[in-house]
Amino acid sequence: MFNLKLTGKAALFAAVFVLMAAVCANAGFKKEYKMQVTVGPKLYWGMGAAKFAELVKEKTNGQINVKPYYGSALLKGAQLKSAQMVAKGVIDCAVESTINISPVIPEANIFHLPFFLNNFENLDKVKNGQAGKAVFDALRAKRLEPLGWAENGFRQLTNSKRAVKTPADLKGLRIRVVGNPLFIDTFRALGADPVNMNWGDAVAGFQQGVVDGQENPVGVLLPIQIYQYHKYATMWNYLVDPLIFYWNQREWNKFPKDIQDAILEAAREAGRWETALSRVGLDGDTSMNILKDEFNYTPEVADPIAFMESKGMEVHMLSDAEREAFIKATRPIYDKWIKEIGPDVFKKAEADMAN
Ligand code: X2X
């Protein structure tokens, strides 16, 4: 009798426990997962963040709510703190440029060696190859879970003073760069006068003429209407910044497998869409066809170069012969930066490109 009573009580406790566990599991998700985004919602990168949030909601049946905080609002503009703050769990996730994660992930600077990866084919080989894997492994080692790639794009030079076709043309120009020291070294090697500035201050800097020029991809330059401030563009593909979707690892590991799979799928799809958007008109018809065929999406600007010209810009396409002088001027910084990145990662990238 006594035993039976106990068994009955135990069963009741067990049932209550199971019920509570189930309730907790559902309530275990946060109301909102905060996402760091460096730029605003109109830039292609920002549009990719919105797409990701929308797809996460859809694919998790509304269980996971990602909220993008644009303009590095969670970091008070300090874009280079992104990886550190997501690793700490102050921010849940991000879609971030490799440039901005490099203080925590020096391997990510493999994409920023000047005139190293200068076309989409090489970029894709490196992202999908051994070097890309090394960057993802480095994120995991810092308690950041990488979910997938997107793209800010190959960075192009614009300025208000003169056409730039040789390093001599850059001499003395004040060029706004991100506060990643690799960029300072590169522009000093080219004879320019680089100025560190967070993105949050940069557009006002262009407007007020605090700097003469800048370097950013077309997916940033068109939405901020760079043609209002700068007449000259040099399309030189001198380096690229892919974007990475990543999540605080502790939070990530709390998700059940089906939620993880849904978020990974959202990152893959949003990344494919945003990468195509950032490449439209720069890779023949390839990206335009991806957007039309896979996403039934027509971008506003089909040809970014023609668009900039239609706004009065003088756009110079750097030729291979002209590129040689820029390569020669920037090679002296390679030794130092290959050491910082890791010589093994550099070798992997070279091998990926040779594949
Ligand atoms: O600050 C920049 O130039 C930007 C927006 O491209 C990055 O965040 C790397």
Side-chain angles (χ1 to χ4, degrees), residues 203-214:
V203 181
F206 308 151
Q207 219 157 14
Q208 293 158 9
V210 176
V211 288
D212 303 315
Q214 67 76 49

Side-chain angles (χ1 to χ4, degrees), residues 38-39 45 79 97 99-100 152 155 176 178 199 216 241:
T38 310
V39 297
W45 170 356
Q79 62 200 72
S97 159
I99 297 173
N100 295 332
N152 197 19
R155 299 176 75 89
R176 177 269 166 180
V178 198
W199 179 245
N216 252 290
D241 50 328

